[in-house]
Each structure stands twice: as C-alpha cells, then as structure tokens.
Amino acid sequence: MKVSLFVTCLVDQMWTSIGVSSVALLRRVGCEVEFDKRQTCCAQPAFNTGYLAEARAVARRFITIFEESKADAIVSPSGSCTAMVHHYPQLFAGDSEWLPRAQALAAKTYELSSFLVRVLKQEDVGASWNGRLTWHDACHGLRDLKIKTEPRALISHVRGADFVEMEHAEVCCGFGGTFSLKYPEISLAILDQKIDAIARADVQAVVSSDASCLMQIGGQLSRKGSKVRVMHLAELLNESSQQ
C-alpha cells in the first residue's frame, strides 16, 4: 500500500524523530511511503481560534497538494491534525467546489495507530521495550476520531513492556493549542493533575499520539525534576525494534 505522510507542523519543526520513526514503522509493515515537501499547516490553529476565512485558505492549499498524490492513504502521527482534516467538510459546508474535495481527502486520511490497526490489521509490529509505561489519551484522537483501543492493542504487543493504565488517562493534559496561551493558569492546573496521575502510576515512560500533548507533559515533568520519559507511539514502536 502506498502512503503519503502528513508530518504536521510540530513534528517538522520541533520533534523530527516522530516523523522519522513513522516512516520507518510504515515501511516495516510493508508500506511505500512518500513525503511531499510542500505541505504546511492543516489550518487547525486558525480554525480553533475562529478565523474561518484564513483556515479555508490554508485548507485549500493542503487539499490541493495532497490531491496530487497517488497514495492509497494519507497517514499522520497526530490525532489532532488528522481530526482537523476530518473537519474540512464542516469548514467547506455549502461550497459546491470544495466540499466534495474535502470529503474525499478526509475519507483517506488516518491517524497512525488507527491506520495500523484498522486498515492494515497490524497489532504486533515486532517491537520490544523493557520498562513500565502508561498511555495518555490525546483529546482529538479520543473524542473526534474515537481512537482508544488501537494504541493500547499496539502497546500490548510490545515485548518486555509492562503497561499500566494511568488514572484518568482520558482527561486532557491542559494544552488545547491556543487554549494554553489564552488561559495559562487553567492550563497549568489541568496539567498538574495529569502529572500527579503519572507519578501515581509509577512508570518510566508516558506514551501518547500527539507531539503537542507530549511537549506539554514533558515540559512540566522536566521542571519538576521527574525522570519519566515522554515518547510518541511511533518512537516506542520503532525505537524498540532496534534494541
């Protein structure tokens, strides 16, 4: 199967190992992976902040670029950015030209764990990682895309990993994109509840599917002097295969 990687802004600019790991993982399960260097933002920041005209302009460019691909699927290591593409039909509601194009693109766009489990029917990717870890459910992946069992199924097949469910794993980490900038005190209060839950889980690593959540959680863990590592699911599955 041919896959076009939608890498996302945060991965491209701040956490490139997630993108590298995603490509390696997809290739290992038999996919041909392409990457269009023209890709930029999915329009989520503008959309979430209410700048719909600006969001449409960015989304049109995104659609136009990915329409040129002959790939069978567009795959992204981010639930939030994938969810934004799934909101494109809402963004172009009533637009006779762009609505069908938005619907077609959304239908072939998948978050990484969902693509592995739902489309490729792959749960065991040959990973092994020694240690105790937990999972944080990122909001957009869980609530918009209904992704919950897929990452847990993948983690359950990681040899040597001792997986423990974190208390309130489904609760937000407080990031929320521009929310954390507008309401930093509330964001921090929510985050500290997540940090406390991680501490009670007594793990060596917390894994999630969005770089934004991991940056939020990892930053506070570091400030508190915690040795708990934050890892993207793609990094866990790819890093472990090389041990």
Side-chain angles (χ1 to χ4, degrees), residues 1 3 26 31 73 75 110-117 119-120:
M1 182 177 288
V3 167
L26 288 166
C31 293
V75 178
Y110 300 88
E111 182 271 338
L112 179 64
S113 71
S114 174
F115 180 72
L116 290 171
V117 175
V119 179
L120 297 185

Side-chain angles (χ1 to χ4, degrees), residues 110 113-122 141 145-150:
Y110 300 88
S113 71
S114 174
F115 180 72
L116 290 171
V117 175
R118 296 181 189 176
V119 179
L120 297 185
K121 310 300 181 184
Q122 292 268 5
L145 302 177
K146 311 304 179 187
I147 296 171
K148 182 176 175 65
T149 61
E150 294 83 358

Side-chain angles (χ1 to χ4, degrees), residues 3 10 17 26 39 51 60 91 107 135 143 209 223 238:
V3 167
L10 286 181
S17 62
L26 288 166
Q39 63 179 274
Y51 292 94
R60 288 188 194 100
L91 189 60
W135 175 260
R143 293 167 177 82
S209 59
R223 287 187 290 272
N238 184 56

Side-chain angles (χ1 to χ4, degrees), residues 103-185:
Q103 291 171 327
L105 195 76
K108 62 185 294 187
T109 302
Y110 300 88
E111 182 271 338
L112 179 64
S113 71
S114 174
F115 180 72
L116 290 171
V117 175
R118 296 181 189 176
V119 179
L120 297 185
K121 310 300 181 184
Q122 292 268 5
E123 294 186 359
D124 188 343
V125 297
S128 59
W129 187 86
N130 294 320
R132 183 177 169 94
L133 54 79
T134 192
W135 175 260
H136 161 68
D137 289 293
C139 289
H140 286 88
L142 177 67
R143 293 167 177 82
D144 274 8
L145 302 177
K146 311 304 179 187
I147 296 171
K148 182 176 175 65
T149 61
E150 294 83 358
R152 288 171 171 81
L154 289 160
I155 292 172
S156 72
H157 287 88
V158 176
R159 293 159 183 80
D162 179 13
F163 175 70
V164 57
E165 279 285 356
M166 173 171 48
E167 183 182 358
H168 306 308
E170 299 179 353
V171 174
C172 179
C173 69
F175 180 69
T178 55
F179 174 86
S180 62
L181 299 176
K182 290 183 175 181
Y183 307 103
E185 294 85 1

